[in-house]
Amino acid sequence: GGFFLWLDVGDGEAAAVRLWREGALRVLPGGYLGADAADGGNPGARYIRLALVHDETVVEQAVDRLLEVLG
């Protein structure tokens, strides 16, 4: 496994706000890490980035809450 997991959620910023408010989860919108392209689009805008830094039990609980909110 990796340290970070990138998920395509359609709108990374909206999903991040929703996860914060409804699931008490902090994720980073992918667009915050990507530079705008020549056409003005951001390749990371559709994604959120999850940091998998806690023990397995905490990560499982967080993923369950993520699925409840965005599922």
Side-chain angles (χ1 to χ4, degrees):
F3 182 74
F4 297 110
L5 177 64
W6 289 74
L7 299 177
D8 185 343
V9 294
D11 182 338
E13 191 168 350
V17 169
R18 191 166 170 213
L19 287 167
W20 175 268
R21 289 181 179 161
E22 299 176 28
L25 295 170
R26 289 177 282 177
V27 299
L28 188 64
Y32 290 13
L33 299 170
D36 289 342
D39 65 1
N42 185 310
R46 297 184 51 87
Y47 298 88
I48 56 173
R49 187 185 78 166
L50 307 177
L52 304 176
V53 296
H54 288 284
D55 61 60
E56 185 177 339
T57 301
V58 172
V59 170
E60 280 184 38
Q61 292 169 352
V63 170
D64 288 343
R65 289 199 322 263
L66 183 139
L67 290 172
E68 286 176 21
V69 173
L70 298 181

